[in-house]
Amino acid sequence: ETGVTQSPTHLIKTRGQQVTLRCSSQSGHNTVSWYQQALGQGPQFIFQYYREEENGRGNFPPRFSGLQFPNYSSELNVNALELDDSALYLCASSLDPVTANYGYTFGSGTRLTVV
Amino acid sequence: KQEVTQIPAALSVPEGENLVLNCSFTDSAIYNLQWFRQDPGKGLTSLLLIQSSQREQTSGRLNASLDKSSGRSTLYIAASQPGDSATYLCAVRDTGGFKTIFGAGTRLFVKA
């Protein structure tokens, strides 16, 4: 069974640019969640996708958007990058978004630096 | 609004010591609580998942307990080893939505 894979592992962007981060969920998992983790803090929930639709969102502005594809892989897009967007972005997949009987499997993350 | 707090923020212990990490949450309406380990700059590795109906879960030298009514969970690590050095995060899945709320973590350093 494959785990969650994220790409790229590291990325440097300039303020104002746009970025796309990618995530392949664990085999058999149909739900993907994205988290932002600033240095020294716990991960903060950005949004969750289930069957290609967003079904939950945290306190992030609309310039953070996402997609989920029929194979349950996902993208996180961030427009108009700001310096404070520098963080580790984590993708997590799970089997069931509703009853939550299953935990999350996390990827290794993408380290985004905005300069 | 669910809030998760972890105490202590950092902990340094000699090898072989048994230790307890604490996690508290403000809203007892949760589906489950999950403990994770995070090595510096890396992703999260799931350690234990406790459903709201359960009281504890064990895996090897790790034991996690859950007291939903008091909003507390503990992670017990027996016979600590230098390889246990990492940040330990607890996260609750509350019933108010689909998101999981994380604590800020406890940074553990086990001295050889």
Side-chain angles (χ1 to χ4, degrees):
Chain A
E1 141 182 309
T2 58
V4 176
T5 57
Q6 292 187 242
S7 62
T9 55
H10 296 84
L11 200 54
I12 299 176
K13 289 287 190 178
T14 302
R15 189 172 50 182
Q17 286 187 315
Q18 178 267 342
V19 69
T20 297
L21 310 182
R22 295 179 173 82
C23 171
S24 294
S25 60
Q26 180 168 315
S27 177
H29 284 187
N30 56 21
T31 304
V32 173
S33 301
W34 285 91
Y35 288 81
Q36 180 196 67
Q37 187 179 25
L39 203 61
Q41 298 182 21
Q44 300 294 312
F45 176 75
I46 303 176
F47 44 56
Q48 176 175 281
Y49 278 82
Y50 171 62
R51 292 184 177 177
E52 303 178 54
E53 291 196 4
E54 183 184 299
N55 70 344
R57 189 176 182 93
N59 190 27
F60 280 81
R63 58 189 185 85
F64 285 78
S65 63
L67 285 172
Q68 186 181 31
F69 301 99
N71 65 355
Y72 304 130
S73 65
S74 176
E75 288 182 353
L76 164 65
N77 299 290
V78 187
N79 294 321
L81 284 166
E82 301 176 359
L83 297 179
D84 285 349
D85 295 333
S86 296
L88 181 67
Y89 287 84
L90 296 163
C91 169
S93 72
S94 60
L95 186 56
D96 187 339
V98 178
T99 62
N101 284 332
Y102 302 91
Y104 287 103
T105 301
F106 277 80
S108 298
T110 294
R111 171 68 63 187
L112 172 65
T113 302
V114 182
V115 298
Chain B
K1 177 187 172 187
Q2 179 76 267
E3 293 182 2
V4 180
T5 303
Q6 291 188 245
I7 295 173
L11 183 63
S12 181
V13 300
E15 181 177 7
E17 191 162 300
N18 301 325
L19 57 101
V20 174
L21 308 181
N22 296 292
C23 171
S24 61
F25 47 96
T26 55
D27 187 346
S28 61
I30 65 170
Y31 281 126
N32 59 45
L33 183 145
Q34 197 166 0
W35 283 93
F36 294 89
R37 168 187 171 136
Q38 186 175 33
D39 293 294
K42 304 296 185 183
L44 277 61
T45 300
S46 179
L47 299 174
L48 290 164
L49 171 69
I50 311 176
Q51 301 297 342
S52 62
S53 59
Q54 297 175 324
R55 298 283 294 184
E56 66 177 342
Q57 285 286 329
T58 298
S59 176
R61 295 182 294 109
L62 306 179
N63 175 276
S65 68
L66 175 64
D67 184 343
K68 203 172 64 166
S69 61
S70 67
R72 294 182 181 182
S73 177
T74 61
L75 178 66
Y76 174 83
I77 303 176
S80 58
Q81 304 170 358
D84 295 331
S85 298
T87 296
Y88 290 81
L89 295 154
C90 77
V92 299
R93 185 80 175 268
D94 68 26
T95 59
F98 297 119
K99 60 183 177 180
T100 291
I101 312 297
F102 282 82
T106 294
R107 285 179 290 115
L108 173 65
F109 180 63
V110 181
K111 298 172 287 186

